[in-house]
Amino acid sequence: MSQLIARQLAKSYPTPAEPLSVLKGVNLELSRGESLAIVGPSGSGKSTLLAILGTLDSPTSGSLLIDGVDPFALAMPELAKFRAAKIGFVFQEHFLLPQCTLLENVLVPFLADGAAGSAEQDRARKLLDRVGLGNRLTHRPSELSGGERQRAAFARALVRQPLVVLADEPTGNLDAATAAEIGLMLLELQREQNTILIAVTHSAELAGRMQQQRRLEGGQLAPHQP
Ligand code: ADP
Ligand code: MG
């Protein structure tokens, strides 16, 4: 049984005229260890889709099951806990907290359940070490390069061993060489952690390295050859 199942997801936004229909029946089924690249032109609804899969936004209609749970049936506090436990996010912007150290930043996802104990700190240190930042634990994000910040964001996304990692143009802000290196690292981490990875990307190279590729077009996911 797949751990992420989306059926006929639709999303429209109200406008003063008729509603803007962005998603028109998106179907997805992914299991642990699978990776999917989503490509498509700007404005096609890629970020909208990721926000719904990440339970940050709700669909107008359709259903989503993550690990057998319908997240949209949960009350707000439970949904926040569910999201923190099951889903890791990586965005184009790193969104690290500037006033916090790297170690503190990577511990942020634990705050949904209270404080982080020594086991959690251990895991955060190991992950920062894994992404090559083991000697930068007490540094602030402003002291890092763009690629290093994104690596710290990967560690933050993975620290709770989420079932699903959602990445919205994770290499979009980086120069070509750094983007290639960071994209490879994201895929390595996905394999090591055995997560589902769904990444929106404009990089044909990154998309081509993922197991499946689809194009968001006319509000639906179509097959895509990278
Ligand atoms: P992409 O990520 O593929 O560039 P988005 O998902 O960001 O596309 O946006 C898809 C469409 O939905 C765009 O036309 C955008 O203007 C519109 N849209 C996104 N968010 C909202 C919102 N909160 N309210 C109204 N329209 C929105
Ligand atoms: Mg977008």
Side-chain angles (χ1 to χ4, degrees):
M1 169 96 170
S2 303
Q3 286 97 356
L4 185 148
I5 303 172
R7 296 228 193 282
Q8 291 299 326
L9 286 180
K11 179 74 177 177
S12 52
Y13 293 111
T15 75
E18 59 194 48
L20 175 69
S21 174
V22 179
L23 303 177
K24 301 177 184 175
V26 168
N27 295 301
L28 267 181
E29 206 162 305
L30 292 165
S31 300
R32 255 196 193 282
E34 293 188 321
S35 60
L36 167 70
I38 296 177
V39 304
S42 179
S44 59
K46 305 180 299 296
S47 295
T48 299
L49 176 58
L50 281 201
I52 292 172
L53 296 176
T55 76
L56 295 166
D57 198 357
S58 50
T60 310
S61 61
S63 67
L64 179 65
L65 273 186
I66 295 175
D67 216 9
V69 172
D70 171 2
F72 302 118
L74 300 174
M76 270 299 172
E78 284 70 42
L79 177 58
K81 285 190 178 190
F82 178 83
R83 182 190 304 126
K86 298 288 177 189
I87 304 169
F89 294 92
V90 179
F91 301 94
Q92 185 168 356
E93 296 284 330
H94 53 81
F95 291 125
L96 297 168
L97 301 172
Q99 68 277 29
C100 293
T101 66
L102 286 197
L103 183 60
E104 288 163 349
N105 266 289
V106 172
L107 288 170
V108 161
F110 289 114
L111 299 182
D113 281 346
S118 61
E120 288 78 17
Q121 301 218 9
D122 229 44
R123 167 131 181 103
R125 278 200 197 89
K126 282 206 179 87
L127 264 175
L128 277 165
D129 200 39
R130 167 63 185 88
V131 299
L133 296 170
N135 56 351
R136 314 292 294 272
L137 300 183
T138 58
H139 288 201
R140 317 269 155 186
S142 61
E143 297 168 275
L144 306 182
S145 70
E148 287 167 341
R149 284 180 204 148
Q150 210 52 331
R151 285 194 255 150
F154 292 170
R156 182 187 52 195
L158 290 166
V159 76
R160 294 199 56 177
Q161 303 182 274
L163 169 64
V164 185
V165 173
L166 300 172
D168 197 349
E169 303 189 31
T171 63
N173 274 0
L174 305 170
D175 63 80
T178 308
E181 174 200 323
I182 290 294
L184 278 181
M185 174 169 276
L186 181 59
L187 291 177
E188 282 171 17
L189 290 167
Q190 181 254 333
R191 274 184 228 116
E192 289 168 17
Q193 309 282 324
N194 197 33
T195 69
I196 293 170
L197 172 66
I198 303 176
V200 166
T201 183
H202 291 295
S203 160
E205 188 188 348
L206 177 58
R209 289 180 187 276
M210 298 180 67
Q211 288 173 345
Q212 302 180 35
Q213 297 84 21
R214 309 271 171 79
R215 166 173 289 272
L216 190 57
E217 221 167 9
Q220 294 183 322
L221 285 178
H224 175 71
Q225 294 297 325

